[in-house]
Amino acid sequence: MSSTTPNARVLFNAIPQGVPIPGETTVYDSSPTIDLENHPLNGGFLVKTLLLSIDPGMRSRMRNPEEKSFAPAYPIGEPLAGFGIGVVLRSENPDVAVGQYLQGGGFLYQQYYVLPSLPSAMLFLDRHPDVPLTTYVGALGLPGKAAWAGWKEFSNAQKGDTVFVPSGASAVCSMVIQLAKLEGLKVIASAGSEEKVDFLRKLGVDVAFNYKTVDTRGVLEREGPIDICWDIVGGDVLNAALDNAAVGARFLKCGQMTILNKVGSHALIIENPMAIFGKSVSIHIMSSPVHIPKHLAEFNRTVPVALIDGTLVSSPEDVRHGLECVGEMIRAVQSGETKGKVIVVVGEAA
Amino acid sequence: MSSTTPNARVLFNAIPQGVPIPGETTVYDSSPTIDLENHPLNGGFLVKTLLLSIDPGMRSRMRNPEEKSFAPAYPIGEPLAGFGIGVVLRSENPDVAVGQYLQGGGFLYQQYYVLPSLPSAMLFLDRHPDVPLTTYVGALGLPGKAAWAGWKEFSNAQKGDTVFVPSGASAVCSMVIQLAKLEGLKVIASAGSEEKVDFLRKLGVDVAFNYKTVDTRGVLEREGPIDICWDIVGGDVLNAALDNAAVGARFLKCGQMTILNKVGSHALIIENPMAIFGKSVSIHIMSSPVHIPKHLAEFNRTVPVALIDGTLVSSPEDVRHGLECVGEMIRAVQSGETKGKVIVVVGEAA
């Protein structure tokens, strides 16, 4: 007996100029179907997508494939790919069992699909019963691990340091802020809404402000100099922070949102390098996958327990439903309009 | 009895656009005189200038004083200042004795002058009888110390690393190259003349080339990827090196010549940051005075002896005579036309 099930997906349709436009940069395609019981596996396994993350970093893959970058460009006409959680429905692969949860990168923005083997970016997920599944996309997913590994590897945090975290309410940055506060450091952090600024205060941020209504440079001149800056923003914010750096400051960069949404050059521009030469500033342009493995065991020992006992808290989540909202949420993430980590529920575990 | 002696000097005359122009940016002034025996000291001491260095970094001080930078801007109409060696002719300061040699920064580009006390950038020089005085401006002066301290602090050199040193025949860079070769690393280095390329080969450079006749990017694509880059050049060379960086590469920057001689923006521009995000590259924008103190004792134990026994060699010197050539030599240094570290002999020790 055979029956077909809808198998919707989100396709990459055109390289955006500036901020991605729903329906133009990406299109929602509800036409495909799949026979879940009989679709051939050819030795592979069938994944059901449960959750998908709408990450800032997806923007970097929406480019001309001839431009070099760390993650491959999305092919036009193919489904988007990124971070998520799924469950195995059927398997002919001896390493992958039915019912196993999968976590990580390499998920397609599609309800169901067959993989020949586990992609290197995907891990089996041992779910803790007291932790919501969405947490494995945020604090226990790539954002949390990226924050942990980057901080351990490069912050060189010293007693008395002042830390600046622009765009601090994101999943990555809120973890960084909490690690800094656990070490007793002074934290300055900004966010784009009063609601997010309140969240920053709950995390213990010493100087929390709304960057849409308060001048970042002025705050840093009053509250700096800055010993550690975790910057995912770039542009004027990065330059204001560099101009207010302390001698020996460490800048940890794991993204560059303002650059990618700018039409034209994507160069990283340091406006006043001569002022920095006097301070001996180190800028670490981090690739999380390079550093996570070294720090993963400590992360796994520490963070899940800390989230359950409340020592650490997850960043706000903005949970949506259905692949049809992906295009709009990509736009909203790139525009800084979201209320927290955007997670799209694509399917429910049986 | 009183008698006057000529006391020539070189004045900063106008902020240059691009490369400094002799006679316009700086002017030689032979009109002043001084009475060496009777000039009042007011509790200070009288210095006779012996050697002055023409450093690439002097360019950064030839700017509008409102532009922030690590070293103060030269005031218009005042003598230039920088690195050199002098001897004390007379003293009313109990900490400074007649006949003592002085070494370091804070020297005026003038034959004689009175200082109230020892500037923080100036040190007493214990001259080793087997070491020429000019060596204390190069390998045993700021260039050698800057190379030593930066390398020890930031290179994190590992067995098997490949090191790239553009403009490698300079006093700073030739010390870096030798430290890398002492650790058994593969070194790629460039220079602007065949004579300098020969010197690089004598230092043991594995891949030495003339950047005026050979394309840097092509060499790095063949001989990289690069684990450590010591860059005083910036611009296209820096970007070619970043594009050929290995995962985890360390970039050590202690200057930015191409930027300062460019008319218009002095920004440091990283053309393709997204490609770097995949590699996790650290860029250390170093200020030598910050790091030298920590590493100075080891430098003093190691480098003078190594220069005498031949384990280390000095970079080529381009020794000139008389303050009247300072303007032209500043232009030549900024244009990369010199044959080695430019040292101007201003006076002879009695």
Side-chain angles (χ1 to χ4, degrees), chain A residues 4 27 32 40 45 67 75 98 123 130 142 174-175 190 220-221 237 245 276 306 319 328 346:
Chain A
T4 60
V27 292
F45 59 94
E67 285 174 40
V98 171
L123 299 168
D130 296 338
L142 184 76
S174 64
M175 178 66 80
S190 65
L220 300 183
E221 283 168 3
V237 170
I276 304 171
V319 178
E328 167 56 19
V346 179

Side-chain angles (χ1 to χ4, degrees), chain B residues 248-307:
Chain B
R250 287 80 68 200
F251 279 66
L252 285 59
K253 287 189 65 58
C254 70
Q256 191 68 351
M257 276 178 66
T258 54
I259 277 184
L260 288 174
N261 290 313
K262 213 175 71 175
V263 177
S265 167
H266 291 166
L268 189 162
I269 297 173
I270 296 174
E271 300 286 356
N272 191 8
M274 294 315 291
I276 304 170
F277 275 112
K279 295 174 182 170
S280 226
V281 169
S282 294
I283 303 175
H284 301 285
I285 301 178
M286 302 182 292
S287 175
S288 308
V290 173
H291 303 292
I292 286 174
K294 175 176 164 191
H295 300 282
L296 191 57
E298 194 190 357
F299 177 91
N300 285 334
R301 268 198 314 276
T302 312
V303 180
V305 176
L307 285 165

Side-chain angles (χ1 to χ4, degrees), chain A residues 270 277 280 282-284 287 291, chain B residues 277 280 282-284 287 291:
Chain A
I270 296 174
F277 276 113
S280 228
S282 294
I283 303 175
H284 301 284
S287 175
H291 303 292
Chain B
F277 275 112
S280 226
S282 294
I283 303 175
H284 301 285
S287 175
H291 303 292

Side-chain angles (χ1 to χ4, degrees), chain B residues 157-346:
Chain B
Q158 307 289 323
K159 204 179 162 200
D161 276 353
T162 295
V163 183
F164 174 47
V165 187
S167 205
S170 74
V172 173
C173 292
S174 63
M175 178 66 80
V176 169
I177 287 169
Q178 294 180 81
L179 296 176
K181 289 310 301 177
L182 285 176
E183 299 198 35
L185 309 183
K186 173 179 174 178
V187 176
I188 307 167
S190 64
S193 73
E194 293 307 321
E195 197 179 339
K196 287 182 183 171
V197 171
D198 281 344
F199 170 66
L200 295 180
R201 290 201 186 96
K202 281 187 196 122
L203 294 182
V205 167
D206 301 274
V207 182
F209 65 99
N210 183 336
Y211 65 77
K212 291 182 179 167
T213 56
V214 177
D215 176 50
T216 296
R217 189 173 282 271
V219 173
L220 300 183
E221 283 168 4
R222 276 196 310 278
E223 300 287 348
I226 298 158
D227 300 288
I228 303 171
C229 176
W230 184 288
D231 168 49
I232 61 169
V233 180
D236 291 342
V237 170
L238 171 62
N239 279 288
L242 284 167
D243 288 345
N244 287 286
V247 171
R250 287 80 68 200
F251 279 66
L252 285 59
K253 287 189 65 58
C254 70
Q256 191 68 351
M257 276 178 66
T258 54
I259 277 184
L260 288 174
N261 290 313
K262 213 175 71 175
V263 177
S265 167
H266 291 166
L268 189 162
I269 297 173
I270 296 174
E271 300 286 356
N272 191 8
M274 294 315 291
I276 304 170
F277 275 112
K279 295 174 182 170
S280 226
V281 169
S282 294
I283 303 175
H284 301 285
I285 301 178
M286 302 182 292
S287 175
S288 308
V290 173
H291 303 292
I292 286 174
K294 175 176 164 191
H295 300 282
L296 191 57
E298 194 190 357
F299 177 91
N300 285 334
R301 268 198 314 276
T302 312
V303 180
V305 176
L307 285 165
I308 292 166
D309 74 16
T311 313
L312 293 173
V313 301
S314 279
S315 62
E317 291 172 357
D318 191 343
V319 178
R320 306 287 173 134
H321 292 266
L323 282 170
E324 55 272 37
C325 71
V326 165
E328 167 57 16
M329 295 321 293
I330 288 173
R331 188 203 61 73
V333 165
Q334 295 297 326
S335 305
E337 293 172 8
T338 55
K339 299 199 166 155
K341 174 85 191 156
V342 178
I343 299 167
V344 177
V345 179
V346 179

Side-chain angles (χ1 to χ4, degrees), chain A residues 177-342:
Chain A
I177 287 169
Q178 294 180 82
L179 295 176
K181 288 311 301 177
L182 285 176
E183 298 197 35
L185 309 183
K186 173 179 173 179
V187 176
I188 307 167
S190 65
S193 73
E194 293 306 320
E195 197 178 339
K196 287 182 184 172
V197 171
D198 281 343
F199 170 67
L200 295 179
R201 290 199 187 97
K202 283 187 194 122
L203 293 182
V205 167
D206 302 274
V207 182
F209 66 99
N210 183 337
Y211 64 78
K212 292 182 178 167
T213 56
V214 177
D215 176 50
T216 296
R217 188 173 283 270
V219 173
L220 300 183
E221 283 168 3
R222 276 196 309 278
E223 301 286 348
I226 297 158
D227 300 287
I228 303 172
C229 176
W230 184 289
D231 168 49
I232 61 168
V233 180
D236 291 343
V237 170
L238 171 62
N239 279 288
L242 284 167
D243 288 345
N244 288 285
V247 170
R250 288 80 68 199
F251 278 66
L252 285 60
K253 286 188 66 57
C254 69
Q256 191 68 354
M257 276 178 66
T258 54
I259 278 183
L260 288 175
N261 291 313
K262 213 174 73 176
V263 177
S265 167
H266 290 167
L268 190 163
I269 298 173
I270 296 174
E271 300 287 356
N272 191 9
M274 294 315 291
I276 304 171
F277 276 113
K279 294 175 182 170
S280 228
V281 169
S282 294
I283 303 175
H284 301 284
I285 300 178
M286 303 182 290
S287 175
S288 307
V290 173
H291 303 292
I292 287 174
K294 175 175 163 191
H295 300 281
L296 191 57
E298 194 190 357
F299 178 90
N300 285 334
R301 267 199 313 275
T302 313
V303 180
V305 177
L307 284 166
I308 292 166
D309 74 17
T311 313
L312 293 173
V313 300
S314 279
S315 62
E317 291 173 357
D318 191 343
V319 178
R320 306 287 172 134
H321 291 267
L323 283 170
E324 56 271 38
C325 72
V326 164
E328 167 56 19
M329 296 320 294
I330 287 172
R331 188 203 62 73
V333 165
Q334 295 298 325
S335 304
E337 294 172 8
T338 55
K339 298 199 167 160
K341 174 83 189 155
V342 178

Side-chain angles (χ1 to χ4, degrees), chain B residues 119-131:
Chain B
S120 62
M122 237 178 241
L123 300 169
F124 293 115
L125 168 57
D126 286 325
R127 190 181 164 185
H128 192 289
D130 296 338
V131 176

